[in-house]
Amino acid sequence: MTPTLTTPPAFPRAVRIAGTGAYAPERALTNRDLEKIVNTTDEWIVTRTGMRERRIAAPEQATSDLGSEAALRALADAGVAPEEVQLLLVATITPDYPFPNTGCLVQRRIGAKNAFCMSIEAACSGFVYGLETARHYIAGGAVDTALVIGAEKMSSILDWRDRSTCVLFGDGAGAAVLKPARRGRGIIASVLGSDGALSELLYVPAGGSRKPASAETVAAGEHFLRMNGREVFKHAVTNMVRAARTALHRAGLTPADVRWIIPHQANLRIIGAIAERLEIPEERFVINVARYGNTSGASVGLALDEAARDGRLRDGDIVMMLVFGGGFTWGATLIEWEKTS
Ligand code: ACO
């Protein structure tokens, strides 16, 4: 399936990332800890996924709490006050409530009282979907300052009796402040795509309008995430590689031009397969899956912030964010990094 192109021929304003932030809960759950919960081993998890530990939120922490911490850090990094934010967008599949949207709850907590707020439900692709949505508002001139947050409390939808899923996911949040570019090209090209034909390969069966929560659905564990990992793996590699190639083509760039790839952190083997097919050395991928596991909509934001803060990302670098998630959804965004004033 051909990914949808979302880059019009000319944008009135280029858009940059002016600041990043991230938050990971304190509690680390190691593979050894998981050996005591389900029939698994550290060796299986490391060789199949590259994961060694993941963070688990405290019972009283909800997704908006994680997202608010990341948001405040991103605002501080950008030198932007909460009141300056005009669009606040949270990408999540683990909202605090079915409604109101988690964006409104973050707004209340951080004091972004002049923003309009919404959530995006694109699973692991959510952060890139959010960036692209915010970019259009800024590029078109409707908004000057946007805050995009990817936040998840995946531990709240995991079946801790199912070893094939509970070892894979973690909690966390990443955030970015978007503003008009000053010198560079900012976001150069983006590709977003979806395939709803395969929705049930990765989903939560109950708790929505198709199958409202009941004593029976809870007893059957249908309010937990279900995934056909082997199938998802294949589609993830195919679609991320295709999205990356299409975005590069649109931008008139080659893989050699990309300094850093920030992929969704689902599995080290998926990242390895993508690196091989794109012929980009793994050293140019930002990888932190060993420490956080798959944090779904938060993963790219967490990795982006890490690479920005430790100095890997430098002004002028071409950076590609590359995602795939439930839906299916996927996307690639190429940006010329321009942060230092
Ligand atoms: N410990 C030990 N054994 C296990 C575990 C475990 N934690 N989990 C599964 N196994 C067993 C299975 O039961 C199976 O045993 P069997 O052969 O006797 O039936 C065996 O290990 C192999 O299982 P597979 O599912 O084939 O293992 P695979 O190598 O495919 O790895 C994994 C599984 C890690 C889930 C991989 O398929 C994967 O990463 N898939 C992609 C996930 C992904 O990309 N998600 C992205 C989107 S997530 C989102 O949008 C929310």
Side-chain angles (χ1 to χ4, degrees):
M1 190 170 297
T2 312
T4 315
L5 297 177
T6 63
T7 306
F11 260 136
R13 291 207 287 186
V15 178
R16 73 187 173 107
I17 290 178
T20 62
Y23 173 78
E26 261 172 51
R27 184 182 160 215
L29 185 72
T30 65
N31 293 349
R32 295 276 179 221
D33 296 330
L34 283 163
E35 287 177 355
K36 295 175 198 137
I37 301 172
V38 284
N39 181 16
T40 192
T41 60
D42 173 57
E43 200 255 332
W44 191 95
I45 301 171
V46 172
T47 53
R48 298 289 177 131
T49 71
M51 296 169 192
R52 293 180 185 277
E53 61 180 42
R54 65 287 297 142
R55 301 296 182 87
I56 303 295
E60 68 277 9
Q61 280 181 310
T63 293
S64 69
D65 301 319
L66 313 184
S68 297
E69 290 298 327
L72 288 170
R73 291 173 190 185
L75 290 170
D77 188 43
V80 167
E83 299 79 19
E84 291 175 63
V85 176
Q86 294 164 295
L87 163 60
L88 191 163
L89 211 156
V90 175
T92 189
I93 50 165
T94 51
D96 291 26
Y97 309 118
F99 82 93
N101 79 68
T102 309
C104 288
L105 304 173
V106 171
Q107 173 193 38
R108 176 173 69 186
R109 187 157 169 150
I110 70 171
K113 58 183 183 191
N114 297 311
F116 67 97
C117 308
M118 56 175 146
S119 293
I120 283 196
E121 194 187 344
C124 305
S125 307
F127 191 73
V128 163
Y129 270 56
L131 288 181
E132 188 59 4
T133 303
R135 171 205 188 192
H136 280 259
Y137 276 96
I138 296 175
V143 153
D144 286 324
T145 306
L147 177 57
V148 176
I149 302 156
E152 304 282 12
K153 187 177 179 181
M154 294 303 287
S155 60
S156 67
I157 57 166
L158 293 178
D159 184 346
W160 293 98
R161 298 161 302 183
D162 176 12
R163 68 177 182 174
S164 70
T165 52
C166 77
V167 305
L168 302 174
F169 296 92
D171 303 334
V177 175
L178 270 64
K179 290 187 78 68
R182 288 173 303 202
R183 297 180 297 274
R185 287 173 287 174
I187 295 174
I188 304 166
S190 286
V191 172
L192 302 180
S194 308
D195 185 358
L198 302 168
S199 297
E200 283 80 14
L201 288 180
L202 174 52
Y203 77 134
V204 175
S209 59
R210 183 160 303 281
K211 208 178 229 196
S214 66
E216 289 74 31
T217 62
V218 172
E222 290 180 315
H223 54 298
F224 294 129
L225 176 148
R226 302 254 174 105
M227 177 168 76
N228 179 332
R230 214 173 285 182
E231 280 302 308
V232 173
F233 193 111
K234 284 188 277 184
H235 288 281
V237 174
T238 308
N239 286 300
M240 280 200 272
V241 168
R242 200 178 290 156
R245 288 193 177 129
T246 309
L248 286 167
H249 176 73
R250 280 293 286 180
L253 298 172
T254 69
D257 297 315
V258 181
R259 180 72 190 89
W260 293 108
I261 306 231
I262 304 181
H264 170 47
Q265 314 279 318
N267 184 319
L268 195 54
R269 284 160 51 219
I270 292 180
I271 296 172
I274 293 167
E276 197 183 308
R277 283 169 177 72
L278 291 177
E279 296 181 20
I280 298 179
E282 241 180 70
E283 297 75 56
R284 299 216 317 263
F285 283 68
V286 176
I287 303 172
N288 62 15
V289 67
R291 283 177 285 124
Y292 298 115
N294 180 348
T295 57
S296 187
S299 89
V300 166
L302 264 168
L304 175 73
D305 180 63
E306 190 171 307
R309 281 179 196 263
D310 69 18
R312 268 178 284 181
L313 308 190
R314 298 181 178 218
D315 279 13
D317 281 354
I318 303 296
V319 179
M320 179 191 279
M321 289 171 260
L322 194 52
V323 290
F324 181 84
F328 288 141
T329 54
W330 58 84
T333 285
L334 280 160
I335 182 166
E336 182 181 316
W337 197 248
E338 179 202 331
K339 192 169 157 286
T340 342
S341 26

